[in-house]
C-alpha cells in the first residue's frame, strides 16, 4: 500500500517559468508534509514543509499547497532556475516522526 | 551549517559478512533515523531511535539489523549477515524535534554486497 504517491516521474520546464510538482496521499492521519530535494550522490535536503492544519506555506521561490479534502499537495517553484534541477521527494510525517516518502519526481530546468 | 556525517561513503562486502555503517548526527538533535534507497526505488524507512531506544521499525528491519548509540555522538547500523538484496544507499538522518522541521540527512553510505 503506497501511502504517498508522486505520479509524475519527471518534469521538464523552461528557466524562469513555474514548476509544479504534485503529490497524493492516502492516510488522513499524517501531521506534516515535507518536500526534499536530492542531487545525485547526496542525501536528501529538506526544502519546505506544511502542517496538516494549514493550506499554504511560502518560503522565497517555493510554495507548498495542501488540499486536505483531495489528499493532495503540490510544490510550486517560481521562477525556476537551472540549479533547481534535482529529484524532488514528497514525504509525510506521522506524530512519531517517521516519514513516508513518495517515489520522487526528477525536475529538469532548461536554460 | 551543522552536518550529519556518514562513514564510509562506499562499502563493498561479501554476502554473509557483517557490516557496520556509522553516523554522527547533529549534536543537539534528539531523534535519529536510518533510511535506505535501493537503486531506482524510493527512500524507505528502516528505523527510528529516540531516548536510547528504538521507537519504530519497519518490516525491512528484521533480526539481521540492529542500531546502537554507543556514546554521545555515534549512531550505528549493523547488518549481521548481509544479503545481495541489502545493496542500497543507506542514509542516516537526525532532527531536533518532531515538527514541521524536516530531517537533516547525511550523504549516505553506498553498500554493495557481492
Amino acid at each position: 500500500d503506497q501511502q504517498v504517491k508522486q505520479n509524475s516521474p519527471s518534469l521538464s520546464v523552461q528557466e524562469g517559468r513555474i514548476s509544479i510538482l504534485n503529490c497524493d496521499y492516502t492516510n488522513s492521519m499524517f501531521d506534516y508534509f515535507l518536500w526534499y530535494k536530492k542531487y545525485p550522490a547526496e542525501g536528501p535536503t529538506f526544502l519546505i514543509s506544511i502542517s496538516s492544519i494549514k493550506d499554504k506555506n511560502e518560503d522565497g521561490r517555493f510554495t507548498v499547497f495542501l488540499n486536505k479534502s483531495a489528499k493532495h499537495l503540490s510544490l510550486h517553484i517560481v521562477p525556476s532556475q537551472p540549479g533547481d534541477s534535482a529529484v524532488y521527494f514528497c514525504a509525510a510525517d506521522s506524530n512519531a516522526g517517521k516519514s513516508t516518502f513518495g517515489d520522487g519526481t526528477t525536475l529538469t530546468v532548461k536554460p | 551549517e551543522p552536518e550529519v556525517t556518514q562513514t564510509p561513503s562506499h562499502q563493498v562486502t561479501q554476502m554473509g559478512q557483517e557490516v557496520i555503517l556509522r553516523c554522527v548526527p547533529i549534536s543537539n538533535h534528539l531523534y535519529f533515523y536510518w533510511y535506505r534507497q535501493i537503486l531506482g526505488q524510493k527512500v524507505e524507512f528502516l528505523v527510528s531511535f529516540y531516548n536510547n531506544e528504538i521507537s519504530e521499525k519497519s518490516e525491512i528491519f528484521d533480526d539481521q539489523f540492529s542500531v546502537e548509540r554507543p556514546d554521545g555522538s555515534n549512531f550505528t547500523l549493523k547488518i549481521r549477515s548481509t544479503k545481495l538484496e541489502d545493496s542500497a544507499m543507506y542514509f542516516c538522518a537526525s532532527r531536533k524535534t518532531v515538527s514541521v522541521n524536516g530531517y537533516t540527512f547525511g550523504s549516505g553510505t553506498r553498500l554493495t554486497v557481492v
Side-chain angles (χ1 to χ4, degrees):
Chain A
D1 173 34
Q2 196 165 2
Q3 294 191 65
V4 178
K5 288 182 76 168
Q6 294 175 254
N7 290 317
S8 298
S10 63
L11 174 68
S12 181
V13 300
Q14 207 65 36
E15 182 179 5
R17 306 295 292 268
I18 186 171
S19 296
I20 300 177
L21 298 114
N22 294 301
C23 179
D24 297 296
Y25 63 95
T26 56
N27 186 348
S28 56
M29 301 302 290
F30 287 131
D31 297 299
Y32 305 101
F33 301 90
L34 309 99
W35 285 94
Y36 289 86
K37 176 177 167 179
K38 186 180 181 304
Y39 294 117
E42 293 184 13
T45 302
F46 171 65
L47 203 54
I48 191 170
S49 64
I50 188 166
S51 165
S52 60
I53 61 172
K54 297 195 173 181
D55 53 24
K56 179 181 174 182
N57 186 28
E58 192 171 350
D59 183 4
R61 296 186 297 116
F62 303 92
T63 304
V64 57
F65 295 93
L66 176 62
N67 181 336
K68 282 194 292 294
S69 60
K71 294 193 175 70
H72 177 83
L73 64 153
S74 60
L75 173 68
H76 292 212
I77 307 172
V78 55
S80 302
Q81 299 171 354
D84 295 329
S85 297
V87 179
Y88 288 78
F89 291 98
C90 166
D93 270 19
S94 65
N95 205 29
K98 162 193 158 185
S99 278
T100 302
F101 283 77
D103 289 331
T105 297
T106 300
L107 172 66
T108 303
V109 180
K110 296 178 179 176
Chain B
E1 182 92 26
E3 286 184 345
V4 173
T5 305
Q6 287 188 246
T7 55
S9 56
H10 192 185
Q11 172 99 41
V12 181
T13 188
Q14 288 209 320
M15 193 168 54
Q17 295 296 303
E18 175 183 286
V19 293
I20 297 176
L21 309 182
R22 302 181 192 279
C23 171
V24 179
I26 293 173
S27 60
N28 63 350
H29 284 189
L30 301 176
Y31 297 82
F32 313 110
Y33 307 84
W34 283 100
Y35 282 79
R36 79 174 186 188
Q37 185 180 27
I38 294 171
L39 187 64
Q41 298 186 25
K42 65 195 307 180
V43 177
E44 300 175 291
F45 169 76
L46 292 178
V47 66
S48 57
F49 193 87
Y50 170 72
N51 202 26
N52 286 319
E53 60 183 22
I54 290 174
S55 44
E56 191 171 353
K57 58 185 180 179
S58 71
E59 292 176 354
I60 303 167
F61 195 88
D62 62 21
D63 291 344
Q64 294 300 312
F65 290 85
S66 63
V67 288
E68 266 195 331
R69 188 158 161 78
D71 51 41
S73 59
N74 291 287
F75 180 49
T76 61
L77 174 70
K78 182 193 288 187
I79 309 174
R80 287 191 187 81
S81 178
T82 49
K83 302 188 279 284
L84 294 176
E85 53 265 38
D86 293 327
S87 296
M89 280 291 287
Y90 287 81
F91 294 107
C92 173
S94 69
R95 69 202 303 185
K96 196 171 184 179
T97 60
V98 176
S99 69
V100 290
N101 297 315
Y103 300 150
T104 302
F105 279 91
S107 296
T109 293
R110 177 168 296 285
L111 177 65
T112 303
V113 182
V114 296

